[in-house]
C-alpha cells in the first residue's frame, strides 16, 4: 500500500509540473470565492446515500449541490486539525498545522521571547495580492489579520447578525422576513468588497460565517427550516444515543447548515447578476466537524475531521465529477495559486488539486496523494490538569484511519467527573456552563454530563469521553463510524505497520514538535500551570 501511495504522489508531482509553465486561463485570472462555514462537518444533501442512512438524508442544500453538480464533489475531504485556529491557519499557510507555531493551537497561545514559526508564513492570500488580486473577507478569521491584508479588508458594513442566525430569526415576529434580511446582509457585505476593488481587478473573497458554531436556539431547525428531529431517528452516528434531546440538537445544527447554504446561494446570485460567475472559482467547505457532540470537533474520527468540499470553475474544471480519494484542505493553497498563475512558497505541504480537476484527465484520482494527515494539540487549555494538550496525529487513506494518541493516560475531552467544577471556580455558578472542555456547550454535552454515571449510556460515554489506547486503527468502509478498533487484530497487522511508518515519516520529515521530546507540553506552546484544569473533587 505504501508503494502505491508514493507512486500516486509521484504521478501527482509530474502532472502538476506540466502545468507550471502556463496559466490555466486565457482571458485573465479567475476570481476566487471561498465559502467556509465554522464547525460545519460533512453535511449536504449531495452526500445523501440510500445505502447508508445519515443526517444528509434530511438536510437540503441546493446551492452546495449545484456547485458540486456543476463542478467536483469530494467525498473525503479532511482538515489539518479539528479546531478553528489551527485548521484555518493550515489552510492559509498550505502546510500541516503543527508547523505553524502560535497558530497551531486555538487562539494562538505563544510565550514571548521565543521565535515563532508563524512569522515565516506568508500564505496564499498575500501571494494572490502580490499577483494583482483584491483580497477580503467577512465575519470570522481567527488568524493574524495581516495575512489577509489587515483589518480594513474585513468587509461587514451591513453588520454581523448573520453569525447569530437562529437567535435573530427566532426572535422576530416574522421568521421568513428576518431570514431574508439576514441574507441581504450577506449580499451587502459581499458587494462592499467588490466595490472596493479596482475596475476589473480579480478578487479573492473568504466568506466565514459562524452561525454553525454554537450556540443556536433550541427548536430552530424545525421552526426555521422544517427539519423534524424525529426524521433523524436511525440516521445519527451509531455512537450517539438516538434520543429526543440529541435528535433535536442535531436538527438545530443542520438548520444552521441550511442557513449557510442559503448564504452561498446569495453569493452565487450576486456573481451571476454581475456576469462574474463563469470566471469565478467557487469553493464551499467547513473548518471541521460538528461542535458539542462527542467524537466530533476536537477528535480525529471522520465525524470530527471530514468536511464538505465542492469546487466549481466551469471554464476550466470538470463538471459532474466525484472524487473518493482523501484530500486535505491544506491542498487548497496550491490549487488557488495554480489557478491564478502564481507560484507557491517552498514551505507548503499541500498538493495542487488541479490535475484531478481538469476535464481531460480520465485517470484523475491517480494524480492525488492518496492520503491525508490530521492532528491536534490544545483546544481548551483547562480540559486537563496542568492545562496540557491531548496530542493526536492520524493518517486517513481510502480504506483505513490510523491514529496515534501520544498521551493515552490523559483524558481526551476533560478530566472526569464532567459535573465537577474546576478548582477556583466561583461558588454558585452553573458548572454546566462554567467549565470549559474539549466539547462545546449544548444540550448533548449536558445530557452526557447529567448521565455520565448511568449504565444506560455507559458504552456511548466510554466511546466519547473515556481513555483511549496509544494507537487506533479502523477499516472505514466496514466501520464508517469508527467504533471497532482493529489495532491488535493480527489480520490487520501489515496495514497497521505500513500506516504507522507512513505517518511517522511525514511527522519526522516535517519536524513535528511533538516528536521533539513532546515540545507541545512546554513553553512556548504550553505555559507551566500545575493548578490549571484541575477538577474540584471531594
Amino acid at each position: 500500500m505504501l508503494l502505491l501511495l508514493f507512486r500516486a504522489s509521484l504521478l501527482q508531482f509530474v502532472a502538476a509540473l506540466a502545468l507550471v509553465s502556463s496559466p490555466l486561463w486565457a482571458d485573465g485570472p479567475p476570481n476566487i470565492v471561498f465559502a467556509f462555514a465554522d464547525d460545519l462537518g460533512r453535511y449536504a444533501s449531495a452526500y445523501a446515500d440510500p445505502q447508508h442512512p445519515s443526517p444528509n438524508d434530511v438536510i437540503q442544500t441546493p446551492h452546495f449541490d449545484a456547485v458540486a453538480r456543476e463542478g467536483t464533489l469530494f467525498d473525503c475531504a479532511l482538515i489539518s486539525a479539528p479546531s478553528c485556529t489551527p485548521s484555518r491557519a493550515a489552510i492559509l499557510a498550505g502546510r500541516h498545522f503543527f508547523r505553524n507555531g502560535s497558530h497551531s493551537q486555538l487562539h494562538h497561545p505563544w510565550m514571548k521571547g521565543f521565535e515563532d514559526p508563524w512569522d515565516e508564513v506568508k500564505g496564499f492570500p498575500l501571494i494572490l495580492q502580490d499577483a494583482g488580486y483584491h483580497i477580503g473577507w467577512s465575519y470570522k478569521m481567527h488568524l493574524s489579520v495581516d495575512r489577509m491584508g489587515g483589518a480594513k479588508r474585513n468587509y461587514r458594513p451591513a453588520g454581523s447578525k448573520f453569525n447569530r442566525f437562529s437567535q435573530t430569526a427566532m426572535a422576530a415576529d416574522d421568521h421568513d422576513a428576518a431570514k431574508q434580511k439576514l441574507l441581504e446582509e450577506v449580499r451587502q457585505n459581499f458587494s462592499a468588497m467588490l466595490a472596493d476593488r479596482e475596475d476589473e481587478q480579480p478578487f479573492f473573497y473568504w466568506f466565514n460565517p459562524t452561525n454553525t458554531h454554537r450556540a443556536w436556539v433550541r427548536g430552530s431547525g424545525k421552526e426555521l427550516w422544517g427539519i423534524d428531529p424525529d426524521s433523524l431517528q436511525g440516521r445519527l452516528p451509531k455512537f450517539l444515543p438516538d434520543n429526543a434531546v440529541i435528535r433535536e440538537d442535531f436538527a438545530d445544527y443542520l438548520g444552521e447548515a441550511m442557513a449557510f447554504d442559503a448564504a452561498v446561494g446569495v453569493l452565487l446570485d450576486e456573481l451571476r447578476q454581475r456576469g462574474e460567475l463563469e470566471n469565478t472559482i467557487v469553493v464551499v467547505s467547513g473548518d471541521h466537524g460538528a461542535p458539542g457532540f462527542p467524537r466530533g470537533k476536537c477528535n480525529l474520527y471522520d465525524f470530527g475531521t471530514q468536511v464538505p468540499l465542492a469546487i466549481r470553475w466551469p471554464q476550466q474544471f470538470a463538471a459532474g465529477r466525484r472524487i473518493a480519494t482523501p484530500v486535505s484542505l491544506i491542498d487548497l493553497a496550491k490549487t488557488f495559486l495554480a489557478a491564478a498563475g502564481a507560484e507557491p512558497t517552498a514551505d507548503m505541504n499541500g498538493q495542487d488539486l488541479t490535475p484531478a480537476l481538469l476535464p481531460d484527465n480520465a485517470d484523475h484520482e491517480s494524480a492525488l496523494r492518496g492520503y491525508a494527515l490530521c492532528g491536534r494539540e490544545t483546544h481548551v487549555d483547562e480540559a486537563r490538569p496542568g492545562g496540557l494538550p491531548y496530542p493526536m496525529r492520524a493518517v486517513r487513506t481510502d480504506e483505513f484511519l490510523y491514529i496515534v494518541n501520544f498521551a493515552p493516560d490523559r483524558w481526551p475531552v476533560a478530566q472526569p467527573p464532567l459535573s465537577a467544577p474546576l478548582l477556583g471556580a466561583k461558588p454558585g455558578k452553573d458548572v454546566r456552563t462554567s467549565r470549559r472542555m474539549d466539547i462545546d456547550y449544548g444540550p448533548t454535552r449536558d445530557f452526557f454530563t447529567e448521565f455520565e454515571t448511568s449504565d444506560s449510556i455507559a458504552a456511548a460515554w466510554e466511546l466519547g469521553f473515556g481513555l483511549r489506547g496509544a494507537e487506533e486503527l479502523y477499516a472505514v468502509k466496514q466501520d464508517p463510524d469508527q467504533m471497532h478498533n482493529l489495532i491488535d487484530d493480527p489480520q490487520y497487522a501489515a496495514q497497521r505497520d505500513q500506516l504507522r511508518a507512513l505517518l511517522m515519516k511525514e511527522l519526522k520529515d516535517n519536524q513535528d514538535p511533538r516528536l521533539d521530546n513532546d515540545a507541545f507540553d512546554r513553553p512556548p506552546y504550553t505555559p507551566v500551570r500545575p493548578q490549571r484544569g484541575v477538577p474540584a473533587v471531594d
Side-chain angles (χ1 to χ4, degrees):
M1 182 173 63
L2 277 178
L3 181 60
L4 292 176
L5 292 174
F6 289 134
R7 178 178 176 273
S9 297
L10 178 61
L11 290 172
Q12 185 272 335
F13 172 77
V14 172
L17 190 64
L19 295 169
V20 171
S21 60
S22 61
L24 298 176
W25 37 266
D27 301 322
N31 309 309
I32 303 170
V33 170
F34 185 23
F36 191 62
D38 208 27
D39 291 29
L40 179 60
R42 185 182 174 275
Y43 296 107
S45 42
Y47 289 118
D49 180 355
Q51 303 300 317
H52 300 92
S54 78
N56 292 311
D57 300 337
V58 304
I59 192 173
Q60 296 297 320
T61 54
H63 306 294
F64 177 88
D65 296 0
V67 173
R69 184 174 59 253
E70 298 163 9
T72 296
L73 176 66
F74 290 82
D75 283 325
C76 190
L78 294 93
I79 45 71
S80 183
S83 175
C84 297
T85 298
S87 174
R88 293 162 182 265
I91 291 168
L92 180 143
R95 64 189 204 176
H96 301 306
F97 85 97
F98 54 76
R99 298 183 58 207
N100 291 328
S102 61
H103 282 57
S104 60
Q105 303 183 108
L106 185 66
H107 299 138
H108 29 93
W110 194 259
M111 297 186 70
K112 294 182 179 179
F114 293 85
E115 292 186 5
D116 186 355
W118 181 252
D119 292 340
E120 70 191 28
V121 171
K122 183 169 187 177
F124 76 84
L126 292 184
I127 299 175
L128 289 174
Q129 182 174 256
D130 289 347
Y133 275 69
H134 175 61
I135 63 175
W137 84 96
S138 294
Y139 307 132
K140 180 174 180 174
M141 184 51 59
H142 247 233
L143 305 174
S144 306
V145 297
D146 62 316
R147 302 308 200 280
M148 275 296 295
K152 65 183 178 181
R153 297 296 178 87
N154 186 3
Y155 294 93
R156 45 183 180 176
S160 300
K161 288 185 178 180
F162 188 90
N163 289 334
R164 292 176 55 81
F165 194 97
S166 63
Q167 294 92 329
T168 304
M170 289 287 280
D173 293 333
D174 187 333
H175 294 337
D176 288 338
K179 288 163 66 176
Q180 290 306 311
K181 187 174 181 180
L182 290 167
L183 293 172
E184 182 59 25
E185 173 190 296
V186 171
R187 187 183 299 273
Q188 291 182 26
N189 288 340
F190 184 34
S191 296
M193 190 280 302
L194 294 173
D196 203 27
R197 60 178 175 151
E198 299 290 337
D199 298 325
E200 300 301 315
Q201 185 181 13
F203 61 85
F204 166 65
Y205 181 59
W206 201 342
F207 177 63
N208 295 318
T210 63
N211 65 297
T212 38
H213 191 297
R214 299 216 177 232
W216 44 77
V217 176
R218 291 190 72 166
S220 57
K222 185 173 183 178
E223 182 69 22
L224 298 178
W225 302 101
I227 303 175
D228 185 347
D230 287 341
S231 67
L232 286 167
Q233 191 165 9
R235 292 185 168 93
L236 293 174
K238 300 303 182 185
F239 48 79
L240 293 178
D242 196 346
N243 62 36
V245 170
I246 295 176
R247 287 197 297 269
E248 182 184 51
D249 200 15
F250 216 98
D252 295 340
Y253 172 57
L254 296 179
E256 297 289 359
M258 288 180 64
F260 168 69
D261 187 71
V264 171
V266 169
L267 302 179
L268 294 172
D269 182 66
E270 189 64 23
L271 290 168
R272 187 179 295 109
Q273 289 189 36
R274 292 171 178 265
E276 303 257 24
L277 181 58
E278 297 311 293
N279 193 39
T280 298
I281 299 173
V282 176
V283 178
V284 187
S285 192
D287 67 352
H288 50 67
F293 299 94
R295 296 170 71 90
K297 179 179 179 179
C298 300
N299 291 270
L300 302 190
Y301 309 112
D302 286 354
F303 189 50
T305 59
Q306 276 197 344
V307 291
L309 179 61
I311 301 178
R312 178 191 188 273
W313 185 19
Q315 290 194 5
Q316 299 295 339
F317 291 163
R321 180 166 290 174
R322 192 158 184 165
I323 290 179
T325 301
V327 299
S328 172
L329 292 200
I330 67 171
D331 301 332
L332 293 177
K334 281 188 177 180
T335 305
F336 290 154
L337 295 175
E343 291 291 332
T345 50
D347 62 340
M348 291 184 174
N349 294 115
Q351 62 181 332
D352 173 12
L353 299 177
T354 297
L357 299 171
L358 297 177
D360 57 354
N361 187 353
D363 192 19
H364 50 274
E365 298 211 34
S366 69
L368 296 171
R369 182 193 299 112
Y371 60 92
L373 263 61
C374 50
R376 63 156 289 190
E377 288 289 339
T378 295
H379 181 72
V380 167
D381 65 357
E382 58 185 23
R384 283 159 292 279
L388 290 171
Y390 190 76
M392 309 172 73
R393 302 291 186 271
V395 59
R396 174 66 154 83
T397 69
D398 61 343
E399 295 183 345
F400 294 97
L401 170 65
Y402 170 75
I403 301 173
V404 173
N405 299 307
F406 286 97
D409 58 322
R410 299 178 193 170
W411 294 88
V413 178
Q415 181 87 15
L418 305 181
S419 56
L422 296 178
L423 287 177
K426 295 180 180 179
K429 198 169 184 181
D430 183 357
V431 298
R432 291 183 301 169
T433 58
S434 64
R435 183 180 177 186
R436 297 187 306 148
M437 308 178 194
D438 283 341
I439 182 172
D440 288 16
Y441 305 121
T444 297
R445 173 181 141 160
D446 289 348
F447 172 83
F448 275 95
T449 300
E450 181 179 357
F451 294 101
E452 67 176 309
T453 59
S454 172
D455 289 341
S456 64
I457 66 161
W461 194 96
E462 189 64 27
L463 281 170
F465 298 86
L467 293 172
R468 299 170 184 171
E471 295 177 287
E472 302 175 65
L473 178 68
Y474 301 96
V476 294
K477 293 181 180 178
Q478 299 96 303
D479 182 19
D481 290 325
Q482 288 108 57
M483 296 173 63
H484 306 290
N485 187 4
L486 304 172
I487 199 65
D488 294 322
D489 189 331
Q491 180 180 348
Y492 295 94
Q495 291 90 339
R496 177 199 63 204
D497 294 346
Q498 290 173 345
L499 291 170
R500 180 192 290 146
L502 173 62
L503 177 61
M504 297 311 293
K505 182 180 188 304
E506 289 276 6
L507 300 183
K508 289 176 182 176
D509 288 350
N510 287 283
Q511 299 179 322
D512 185 346
R514 175 53 59 184
L515 301 187
D516 183 14
N517 196 26
D518 296 326
F520 275 107
D521 290 353
R522 307 185 307 277
Y525 294 94
T526 300
V528 178
R529 294 180 291 186
Q531 298 305 307
R532 188 76 166 178
V534 178
V537 182
D538 294 334

